[in-house]
Amino acid sequence: MAWLNQIAHTAWTTLFDVLPIAVILVGFQVLVLRQRPRNLRRIATGFGYAILGLALFLVGLEQALFPLGKIMAAQLTADALEAASGLAAADAVDWRRFGWVYAFAAAVGFATTVAEPALIAVSLKAEEVSGQALKARGLRVAVAIGVAFGVALGTFRIVTGTPLPIYIMAGYLVVIVQTWLAPRAIVPLAYDSGGVTTSTVTVPLVTALGLGLASAIPGRSPLIDGFGLIAFASLFPMITVMGYAQIGAWRGRREARRRFDDPGDLKEE
Amino acid sequence: MLSDLASFGRLVLATLRDLAPIILVVAFFQFVVLQQPIPQFERILGGLFLVMLGLALFVRGLEMGLFPLGEAMAGAFAEKGSLFWLLGFAFALGFGTTVAEPALIAVAGEAARAAAEAGHLADGAAALEGYADGLRYTVALSVGAALVLGTLRILKGWPIQYFIIGGYLLVVVMTPLAPKEIVGVAYDSGGVTTSTVTVPLVTALGVGLATVIRGRNPLVDGFGLIAFASLTPIIFVLAYGMVV
């Protein structure tokens, strides 16, 4: 019964969050476009499904996964700190003692990104638009690897206390170089995937990890060091998605060259 | 009806594949690394079931409602042929969905506390609230402006990289000039502005526009709106930190 209550409550808040969107859509539809979209009933049902689905999803996360994830993050940082206890000075924190923390950050980053609803939406659209040339699942895994690497590097930065802008700027340099080299069609999608990764699932868990880590380690300020993990999580997917397309293009070229060098192979087909 | 139910059942099962990594990660860290039993096992199982059901419903809702609506509106605006109203719609969508975004309200509050702690703000709740509200409207304006610019780009077919790389260069130049406490918040604010309902709508709108306009490729020109919406908040928040 408590669950039903919470589902109803979350559905209500989600509905309230969606209200501005609905007002804008209906307002423009009625006042400016002055036409009813075809299948209005179907579209409205779909909207209802999406909102209800999101509400169920959020309740499930809050009931089950968020508390567990936060407890695990706290235990892992505590374990690592225990090993480093007795040291008060900031520079005495040995980053090598936090191996499981980085592994956990990467694993959480990967796993939550694969289940991120906004990313599912964009990758479905990309698969449809590219005529199945891009696979939705491949794209999501590429993004998830980027988030995993980004979040792990982000926790390393918090442990070592090195300045955030250096990492971000270096990452952007890689993005700029890749933009020149990657297939042109992937670039807008890669840029988009940075913003998409960080919504419902990833942000709360990753932020909790960052703030917990920054407040547990002596010499780190949650305000200055705790933030910034989201920035890592949105930067690295751009690199991995462009990389994914580059690898695909490279394999295509190699395949073409092999066939060219070996005409016997061509005849067989 | 029965076949509908069966296909929905398959969809629910398919989401299990999306959730498998989460289950594996939790199980591995709990049993192998921390070596502890999972607390409240039934509750977690129930929660997982809700997550599966919710994800399947959301995907069905995307295909039935959010995607077709975004595309239909793109088609209707193209048919109407009024640049003013199309850009007006883009701005309203960006501003309206961002200004009430709970994640943004939270980040704006954090930023106000950070600024106060650093001594940039007068003490008192009124000053804090004013700072947070100002920041929130700044970000909402920036997302509205981002969607206007991104829509114009789709119409004109301008290459996206000049905008995005130019924008990030601006971020790089502004970072050392902005107060230190605002930098982390600014970088994070780019990620919080694009909510789960907005993303599919905006994506469908962009791809729909690029599909109906002759000479535009949906893959090359249709994507990129989200990228604009995640970049401009960083610039605007850094600027806000420098000015206020």
Side-chain angles (χ1 to χ4, degrees):
Chain A
M1 209 51 221
W3 283 53
L4 276 181
N5 252 332
Q6 203 188 346
I7 291 171
H9 178 76
T10 312
W12 181 246
T13 5
T14 314
L15 202 64
F16 205 72
D17 291 346
V18 176
L19 207 61
I21 306 182
V23 169
I24 291 163
L25 291 177
V26 172
F28 271 85
Q29 203 67 255
V30 172
L31 298 175
V32 179
L33 295 172
R34 297 203 184 125
Q35 51 169 263
R36 268 169 81 99
R38 275 177 300 152
N39 306 326
L40 186 62
R41 185 180 276 255
R42 195 177 151 82
I43 286 176
T45 317
F47 245 90
Y49 280 171
I51 292 171
L52 183 66
L54 214 52
L56 288 177
F57 184 77
L58 289 175
V59 171
L61 284 180
E62 263 159 42
Q63 285 286 320
L65 291 169
F66 284 165
L68 192 62
K70 284 173 188 170
I71 292 170
M72 288 168 77
Q75 275 176 342
L76 282 169
T77 32
D79 279 2
L81 274 177
E82 207 175 313
S85 66
L87 305 167
D91 55 0
V93 176
D94 184 356
W95 62 269
R96 276 165 297 199
R97 289 186 192 279
F98 290 81
W100 281 121
V101 175
Y102 312 136
F104 181 69
V108 163
F110 183 90
T112 53
T113 304
V114 170
E116 193 69 74
L119 178 61
I120 294 179
V122 168
S123 59
L124 278 177
K125 203 77 205 167
E127 183 176 285
E128 177 199 319
V129 164
S130 71
Q132 317 285 317
L134 283 167
K135 291 284 174 246
R137 190 159 286 272
L139 197 62
R140 279 159 66 191
V141 169
V143 173
I145 292 173
V147 174
F149 185 77
V151 177
L153 193 65
T155 49
F156 171 78
R157 183 196 76 82
I158 293 176
V159 169
T160 54
T162 31
L164 171 68
I166 294 179
Y167 290 86
I168 301 294
M169 287 176 194
Y172 285 143
L173 271 183
V174 177
V175 170
I176 291 174
V177 172
Q178 271 186 307
T179 301
W180 248 256
L181 301 174
R184 203 167 73 92
I186 199 75
V187 171
L189 190 60
Y191 288 168
D192 266 3
S193 61
V196 169
T197 49
T198 46
S199 44
T200 356
V201 202
T202 321
V203 169
L205 272 182
V206 160
T207 309
L209 186 67
L211 289 175
L213 207 55
S215 41
I217 295 176
R220 301 285 169 274
S221 138
L223 279 174
I224 293 180
D225 300 302
F227 289 98
L229 274 183
I230 307 296
F232 278 87
S234 8
L235 171 62
F236 284 88
M238 298 194 223
I239 296 174
T240 48
V241 169
M242 284 194 272
Y244 168 68
Q246 282 176 298
I247 291 171
W250 175 74
R251 279 167 66 179
R253 274 200 305 275
R254 197 182 56 169
E255 185 77 358
R257 206 163 32 230
R258 202 173 56 84
R259 288 196 182 166
F260 188 72
D261 289 345
D262 182 6
D265 201 48
L266 256 179
K267 262 182 224 143
E268 263 176 31
E269 289 197 7
Chain B
M1 189 63 211
L2 206 65
S3 71
D4 265 13
L5 219 60
S7 79
F8 186 71
R10 271 196 297 279
L11 199 57
V12 173
L13 281 183
T15 60
L16 198 58
R17 267 171 65 185
D18 300 330
L19 296 172
I22 293 187
I23 299 169
L24 284 177
V25 166
V26 168
F28 175 77
F29 276 88
Q30 201 68 17
F31 294 130
V32 179
V33 181
L34 296 168
Q35 296 183 347
Q36 273 163 13
I38 289 185
Q40 295 176 300
F41 188 66
E42 297 84 24
R43 196 172 116 157
I44 286 171
L45 221 54
L48 264 179
F49 177 71
L50 283 188
V51 167
M52 277 171 67
L53 202 64
L55 215 48
L57 266 176
F58 179 75
V59 170
R60 178 55 65 88
L62 279 183
E63 281 157 0
M64 276 175 66
L66 269 58
F67 281 163
L69 183 63
E71 276 157 25
M73 291 194 85
F77 273 114
E79 205 175 298
K80 192 174 171 66
S82 158
L83 185 65
F84 173 78
W85 281 117
L86 175 59
L87 296 184
F89 176 68
F91 183 83
L93 198 61
F95 185 87
T97 57
T98 309
V99 81
E101 171 75 30
L104 176 63
I105 296 174
V107 166
E110 303 283 4
R113 272 192 294 284
E117 205 151 294
H120 292 312
L121 281 185
D123 275 336
L128 276 185
E129 202 173 306
Y131 185 89
D133 280 350
L135 189 61
R136 198 151 63 86
Y137 284 108
T138 311
V139 173
L141 270 176
S142 76
V143 177
L147 289 193
V148 168
L149 193 63
T151 309
L152 257 181
R153 178 196 83 86
I154 294 176
L155 299 180
K156 304 283 182 192
W158 293 325
I160 191 172
Q161 51 267 37
Y162 299 117
F163 292 91
I164 301 297
I165 291 178
Y168 280 126
L169 285 180
L170 196 58
V171 170
V172 169
V173 171
M174 288 171 85
T175 299
L177 303 174
K180 201 178 169 199
E181 316 77 40
I182 201 102
V183 170
V185 176
Y187 284 5
D188 276 0
S189 72
V192 299
T193 51
T194 39
S195 82
T196 310
V197 179
T198 323
V199 164
L201 268 176
V202 166
T203 304
L205 184 75
V207 169
L209 279 175
T211 311
V212 276
I213 297 171
R214 206 174 302 150
R216 296 286 167 275
N217 175 330
L219 194 59
V220 177
D221 301 302
F223 288 93
L225 283 175
I226 311 288
F228 277 90
S230 338
L231 170 63
T232 52
I234 308 181
I235 296 172
F236 278 58
V237 172
L238 284 176
Y240 188 78
M242 287 157 70
V243 172
V244 179

